[in-house]
Amino acid sequence: MTQNYVIIGLKLLGALGLLIYGMRMMSDALQKMAGPQLRHILGRMTTNRFTGMLTGTFVTCAVQSSSATTVMTVSFVSAGLLTLGQAISVIMGANIGTTLTAWIMSLGYNMDLSNIVYPAFFFGMVLIYRKQHRYVGDFLFGIAFMFLSLVMLSTAGKELDLEHNEAVVAFFASFDTDSYWTILAFLAIGTVITCIVQSSAAVMAITILLCSTGVLPIYLGIALVMGENIGTTATANLAALGANMQARRAALAHLLFNVFGVIWVLCVFYPFVDMVCSLVGYDPTAAGQTTLLPVVLATFHTCFNVTNTALLIGFIPQLERVVCWLLPSPASAKSEQEAAEEEGKLQYIHANLIQTPEIAVLQAMKETAHYAQYVQQMFGQVRQMLDEEDDDKAAEIYDKIARREDVTDKMELGIANFLEQVSTDHLSDVTKQKVRQLMREVSELESIGDSCFKLARTIKRRHESGHDFPPVLYEKLRALMQLADEALTQMNNIMIGHSREHSIRDSYRIENDINMMRQRLKAFNIQAVNEREYDYALGTLFSDLVNECEKLGDYVVNVVQARFGQ
């Protein structure tokens, strides 16, 4: 008998592993299919708290994982693609969407899903070999694995025959279901197990299995379900540990939302559970009716999350303030950000928040846009150094530019390494193209940083020479640098928006103006040196500054061309 239990236990573990894998496969496939549109979906459908809630519900029903939706939402908050308020509404919807999983599981215990499994495997394999539909095939395989695991769990549950095992029945019967301490103990057990397993679906499957055999009283099963709602928040909170403050706040909001729900349900626990049982037609005091228990659990899960969302959706601003109070921004947040930039730390990319390559690419695009703004700030310091008459202050600015040049090198390597990590996954053709474009962009942006440093170094040589440019040269250099700054501004406008909202012709026009001015300044410099208006050494420094500005303009155009896919 002991050997039989070991074999059945291994079957249960295998079925749970298959369940988790199948749901992960479904989630990944759907995110890959919708990945390029996710940013637009979440951006357009989170205009208010109700559309945000519906978006979270829809996405979670599709990917069959509230953890995936929540971590995805935290990723978008971290990358600045969603506000904290929008994220909270999406997370509320995710809690409603995850109830579909419980209904599917209860269905698996009340009907034979084998008739769905095998056709799903067949058609999934056909679509996988047709590469243009391979993600649809992966999705069907995920469904097949999930349904197969439910069939295996149901079969293993019947083989265990726990309802006739006196020791197991006596063990669960020893708990006083009328005691709040027992309810709290099982709630804690559900929370801890879910935190360890990192899958509320797996714990829900075990809960349904135990309840369906009749050995676990419904009150204790519901306490486990409540614990699962708290435990499932661990995934997003762990993922947000290395992210920025807004991401950590979004993850904390998820925890507070579920904890609040558990608290109010505990206050009306027995009347609320009895009400749910009456909806299904189940009598907790009567014997038998075990076939209804999976439905009772699914109904409670739905009522709990829908009611909790209905109670709190009107208080999203207040919840946002509570989260900000619990996780306040440091008084020296600006200086901390500057310190992070000095160390070359990335602002929006966090490897532990990667869910799919498509989402990771969105993070990389945001980081690249920040990189572009950083190099324009660096060029602003070059212009400041050009106008600085005091040698000591000019030397201080030069030191700042030198440090920024080192940071630009680190940022290039950080983004490139991140994109290399992303490219190891199976990518769609669109995503592959976007990764190549971003690789080119960061390389050209690093070249802009190098140009800024070379300009600063040339200006430093001018200060060290002890000779100053004539006013006419300053006037011409300022005009040229103004054009270069316009090119950088145009580049940044394209980087932070959509390429279709801008025209590449504007960048070409500015580059042409820079090239024409370079030719004029080159001719002017040769003539001025020949006529001895200033010496050859100053003319060389002036020529170096003009040539480097022209190169910087070329790098800017290269970035813009990469963004437009040219």
Side-chain angles (χ1 to χ4, degrees):
M1 180 63 70
T2 303
Q3 185 178 4
N4 288 339
Y5 279 132
V6 171
I7 294 173
I8 295 171
L10 291 174
K11 287 182 180 179
L12 283 172
L13 291 175
L16 287 173
L18 192 62
L19 173 67
I20 295 171
Y21 177 75
M23 295 187 69
R24 178 63 184 269
M25 196 171 185
M26 284 175 57
S27 176
D28 287 351
L30 275 165
Q31 289 179 64
K32 286 176 181 176
M33 283 190 286
Q37 305 302 322
L38 280 175
R39 189 265 180 270
H40 306 298
I41 291 172
L42 289 172
R44 293 175 182 173
M45 295 182 67
T46 54
T47 51
N48 59 60
R49 66 192 68 174
F50 296 103
T51 57
M53 182 266 292
L54 291 174
T55 301
T57 303
F58 170 77
V59 172
T60 306
C61 286
V63 301
Q64 279 300 290
S65 174
S66 62
S67 294
T69 303
T70 305
V71 174
M72 186 192 312
T73 303
V74 170
S75 299
F76 285 145
V77 173
S78 175
L81 302 172
L82 285 179
T83 66
L84 180 57
Q86 289 173 323
I88 292 173
S89 65
V90 172
I91 288 169
M92 288 180 174
N95 276 34
I96 296 176
T98 194
T99 61
L100 179 62
T101 305
W103 283 105
I104 292 174
M105 289 182 180
S106 67
L107 183 69
Y109 280 88
N110 288 293
M111 65 176 291
D112 186 8
L113 297 174
S114 301
N115 296 329
I116 302 175
V117 170
Y118 301 111
F121 273 129
F122 174 76
F123 289 110
M125 181 59 69
V126 171
L127 291 172
I128 286 174
Y129 275 99
R130 297 185 65 186
K131 292 185 178 180
Q132 63 269 36
H133 301 298
R134 63 183 180 274
Y135 296 138
V136 179
D138 287 341
F139 176 70
L140 288 177
F141 253 65
I143 288 180
F145 281 134
M146 184 176 73
F147 284 175
L148 179 61
S149 68
L150 293 176
V151 172
M152 293 168 63
L153 284 169
S154 179
T155 304
K158 292 174 183 177
E159 291 177 359
L160 279 173
D161 195 26
L162 293 178
E163 63 267 31
H164 297 113
N165 188 313
E166 294 181 3
V168 175
V169 172
F171 172 76
F172 285 107
S174 65
F175 293 101
D176 182 9
T177 56
D178 293 328
S179 169
Y180 262 98
W181 290 111
T182 304
I183 301 301
L184 289 172
F186 272 77
L187 188 151
I189 291 170
T191 301
V192 172
I193 294 176
T194 308
C195 287
I196 294 172
V197 178
Q198 289 287 293
S199 173
S200 59
V203 184
M204 174 66 80
I206 291 294
T207 305
I208 292 177
L209 173 64
L210 292 173
C211 286
S212 64
T213 59
V215 298
L216 182 66
I218 188 61
Y219 293 110
L220 303 186
I222 285 177
L224 286 176
V225 172
M226 291 165 61
E228 292 157 16
N229 273 273
I230 296 177
T232 193
T233 64
T235 305
N237 278 278
L238 288 172
L241 285 178
N244 59 24
M245 180 61 73
Q246 286 296 86
R248 295 200 295 274
R249 286 171 175 170
L252 178 61
H254 187 205
L255 174 63
L256 293 180
F257 173 73
N258 283 14
V259 168
F260 174 82
V262 167
I263 290 173
W264 73 256
V265 167
L266 284 174
C267 293
V268 292
F269 182 75
Y270 292 102
F272 190 80
V273 174
D274 291 340
M275 182 270 294
V276 171
C277 290
S278 65
L279 288 176
V280 179
Y282 174 78
D283 184 0
T285 61
Q289 295 183 297
T290 55
T291 56
L292 286 177
L293 286 171
V295 180
V296 173
L297 288 175
T299 304
F300 170 81
H301 198 217
T302 302
C303 291
F304 167 74
N305 284 297
V306 170
T307 307
N308 197 33
T309 300
L311 289 173
L312 283 180
I313 195 167
F315 297 95
I316 288 179
Q318 289 77 10
L319 180 58
E320 187 175 353
R321 284 198 290 270
V322 169
V323 171
C324 292
W325 176 70
L326 291 173
L327 287 177
S329 298
S332 58
K334 185 175 181 181
S335 61
E336 286 189 4
Q337 182 177 353
E338 290 174 351
E341 287 183 345
E342 287 295 328
E343 297 175 8
K345 292 182 179 179
L346 302 180
Q347 302 294 310
Y348 302 103
I349 286 177
H350 306 284
N352 56 329
L353 290 179
I354 295 179
Q355 280 294 293
T356 61
E358 284 76 12
I359 296 173
V361 166
L362 291 176
Q363 291 176 283
M365 289 175 66
K366 187 76 174 180
E367 193 68 62
T368 306
H370 171 249
Y371 190 10
Q373 292 170 347
Y374 190 81
V375 295
Q376 184 171 15
Q377 293 168 6
M378 189 175 177
F379 184 71
Q381 290 178 321
V382 172
R383 297 179 70 186
Q384 182 184 355
M385 185 179 177
L386 177 69
D387 291 332
E388 182 56 61
E389 297 179 359
D390 186 274
D391 291 344
D392 292 335
K393 291 182 179 179
E396 290 178 7
I397 298 173
Y398 174 80
D399 291 339
K400 292 180 181 178
I401 295 172
R403 287 194 295 271
R404 276 185 176 263
E405 200 276 334
D406 185 54
V407 171
T408 59
D409 291 342
K410 292 179 181 177
M411 292 177 74
E412 180 201 16
L413 286 175
I415 300 173
N417 290 337
F418 179 80
L419 290 171
E420 284 181 357
Q421 180 185 352
V422 171
S423 62
T424 58
D425 205 337
H426 296 292
L427 307 178
S428 65
D429 293 337
V430 173
T431 304
K432 287 178 183 176
Q433 177 65 21
K434 182 57 68 176
V435 168
R436 286 194 294 268
Q437 290 177 11
L438 288 170
M439 283 285 200
R440 183 182 168 197
E441 286 175 20
V442 296
S443 175
E444 298 295 343
L445 286 170
E446 195 275 335
S447 296
I448 294 175
D450 287 344
S451 282
C452 290
F453 180 61
K454 290 176 182 176
L455 287 168
R457 194 167 54 195
T458 303
I459 297 171
K460 182 184 178 185
R461 283 165 47 205
R462 201 280 302 160
H463 279 275
E464 291 174 346
S465 70
H467 299 287
D468 201 0
F469 288 137
V472 65
L473 292 189
Y474 275 116
E475 181 183 345
K476 294 182 181 300
L477 283 172
R478 291 189 188 106
L480 180 61
M481 287 189 175
Q482 176 62 34
L483 275 177
D485 193 61
E486 288 178 13
L488 287 165
T489 300
Q490 176 66 15
M491 177 191 75
N492 273 300
N493 289 338
I494 293 171
M495 297 287 282
I496 62 176
H498 300 293
S499 56
R500 64 175 177 271
E501 297 173 355
H502 301 276
S503 172
I504 197 172
R505 290 194 298 271
D506 293 331
S507 295
Y508 284 150
R509 175 185 56 78
I510 298 174
E511 184 206 19
N512 185 57
D513 290 344
I514 291 174
N515 290 340
M516 291 177 64
M517 181 173 286
R518 172 180 173 267
Q519 294 300 324
R520 291 198 302 270
L521 295 183
K522 184 178 178 181
F524 170 84
N525 184 51
I526 292 173
Q527 181 180 352
V529 170
N530 289 336
E531 294 178 358
R532 301 188 182 279
E533 294 182 14
Y534 46 84
D535 62 24
Y536 181 81
L538 280 179
T540 301
L541 293 174
F542 176 76
S543 179
D544 289 345
L545 290 173
V546 170
N547 289 333
E548 200 58 53
C549 280
E550 192 273 334
K551 288 181 183 178
L552 186 148
D554 290 341
Y555 297 139
V556 169
V557 169
N558 291 341
V559 173
V560 174
Q561 286 178 335
R563 178 50 60 101
F564 277 90
Q566 296 184 8

